[in-house]
Amino acid sequence: MPPISTRTRTRLATVSALTALGAFASLGTATAADPALNGEWAPFTRCPVDAPAMLAADGFDKTPQCVVSTSASGSIKLGDTTVTTGRTNLQIGVVQNADGTSSVVAPASGALVAEPAAVPGGLLGLMCPSDIFVITGICESLENSSLNKITATMESAGAPYAFDQTAGVLTDMPIVALPVRIHLENPLLGDNCYIGTLADPIVLRPENRTYPAFGMTFFQGDGTTDPAGEMSRINLSGATQNDSTFAVPGATGCGLNVGLINAAVNAKTGLPSAAGNNSVTLDNTQTHLTGLNAPGTVVPDAGKVLAENWHSAVK
């Protein structure tokens, strides 16, 4: 029997590692479902109404509100790689201050929830070809392999800030600053492969590129529509949002041999990437803002009343 070459050994070892990791990764984890809410409360499934800052809002100096913005599709360009995104759901609490400023309160689980998006070409497209010998062996092992698939999921990397309610109805003004990181997932990449980190996140500042349609509804505390209800909801629909001002750091934490895999991913995708070379677009956004019509009538308990109303709408 002829001796096995170094390249073949590398390939066989890689296939074995991929198979084992693939079996481990397939176990997955379960997550709790968001509650279903009645009527006009329906979109606000993750509003942090029980957060201390929201409960402490008195209705005079500080007024509590819930904000949700969703998009069914879009795209994100990071360096040389463009990925079509799925549904995104951003939810925050906002405390409006009497001086015109505001502070953002994020849900404990994070402000942003996004569907995983398939990276074009999978790992072959993300890091191959490569002039690094070990990476070349991995690339050969991935040809025609089901383990080539890679997904990218945008996650919160800190609480949003700089929320501007007025910008939500206008164009070309940043609406909110949103720190995020991109989780790249594939058995070979391990569990901690990210573009952006908690310490060095990508900061998105989406702006309306088209004017949204404006609407307003009124409802009772439990979500039932009522023109004389104590709650109101602003509805802004149909706008395309975009940001092309953010910088993107390099990938970190990727793979069994972290240094080599990071280098291969960064070289192929053009990371790190300076501001102006990246962009994100969210199509047909649906944004809703809700709060008490007359918070001054329930001072100092506006935050508590808002929370009671939200809980009364849970089905």
Side-chain angles (χ1 to χ4, degrees), residues 6-303:
T6 300
R7 184 178 295 275
T8 301
R9 284 197 299 269
T10 299
R11 181 172 180 176
L12 290 173
T14 301
V15 171
S16 297
L18 284 170
T19 303
L21 283 168
F24 176 78
S26 67
L27 296 178
T29 56
T31 56
D34 293 331
L37 301 180
N38 178 58
E40 297 296 303
W41 273 114
F44 303 93
T45 55
R46 296 187 295 114
C47 185
V49 293
D50 295 320
M54 293 283 283
L55 291 172
D58 60 3
F60 182 70
D61 289 321
K62 298 180 180 295
T63 302
Q65 299 172 325
C66 296
V67 178
V68 55
S69 185
T70 63
S71 171
S73 63
S75 64
I76 185 166
K77 178 180 180 293
L78 306 176
D80 299 328
T81 300
T82 299
V83 176
T84 298
T85 60
R87 181 176 175 81
T88 58
N89 181 286
L90 173 68
Q91 296 200 39
I92 55 176
V94 175
V95 177
Q96 297 287 356
N97 302 315
D99 63 3
T101 63
S102 64
S103 57
V104 175
V105 181
S109 59
L112 181 69
V113 173
E115 291 180 347
V119 176
L123 274 178
L124 284 170
L126 190 66
M127 65 182 192
C128 304
S130 173
D131 57 4
I132 302 171
F133 175 73
V134 174
I135 303 302
T136 300
I138 294 172
C139 292
E140 292 176 353
S141 302
L142 287 170
E143 291 179 4
N144 303 315
S145 171
S146 61
L147 294 172
N148 182 46
K149 181 180 179 181
I150 183 172
T151 59
T153 307
M154 189 180 297
E155 302 176 356
S156 290
Y161 56 95
F163 175 74
D164 187 338
Q165 183 172 327
T166 301
V169 299
L170 301 176
T171 61
D172 304 319
M173 293 176 59
I175 301 168
V176 66
L178 181 61
V180 301
R181 58 183 181 171
I182 310 296
H183 192 184
L184 300 177
E185 295 179 273
N186 174 278
L188 180 62
L189 297 180
D191 296 329
N192 299 302
C193 182
Y194 286 94
I195 299 173
T197 65
L198 297 178
D200 184 21
I202 302 165
V203 181
L204 306 178
R205 293 177 171 85
E207 305 176 357
N208 289 331
R209 293 290 179 250
T210 58
Y211 285 101
F214 179 88
M216 194 167 187
T217 53
F218 300 89
F219 59 100
Q220 298 172 14
D222 68 354
T224 303
T225 302
D226 182 352
E230 64 181 299
M231 301 286 298
S232 61
R233 189 178 103 176
I234 294 173
N235 306 301
L236 304 171
S237 59
T240 297
Q241 294 182 353
N242 173 268
D243 178 27
S244 57
T245 64
F246 58 95
V248 181
T252 59
C254 302
L256 301 177
N257 189 325
V258 173
L260 292 179
I261 301 292
N262 287 341
V265 171
N266 289 334
K268 185 68 186 293
T269 56
L271 301 179
S273 179
N277 298 325
N278 318 291
S279 65
V280 62
T281 298
L282 301 173
D283 301 323
N284 191 27
T285 58
Q286 308 293 317
T287 302
H288 310 285
L289 182 149
T290 192
L292 298 165
N293 281 336
T297 62
V298 292
V299 172
D301 296 323

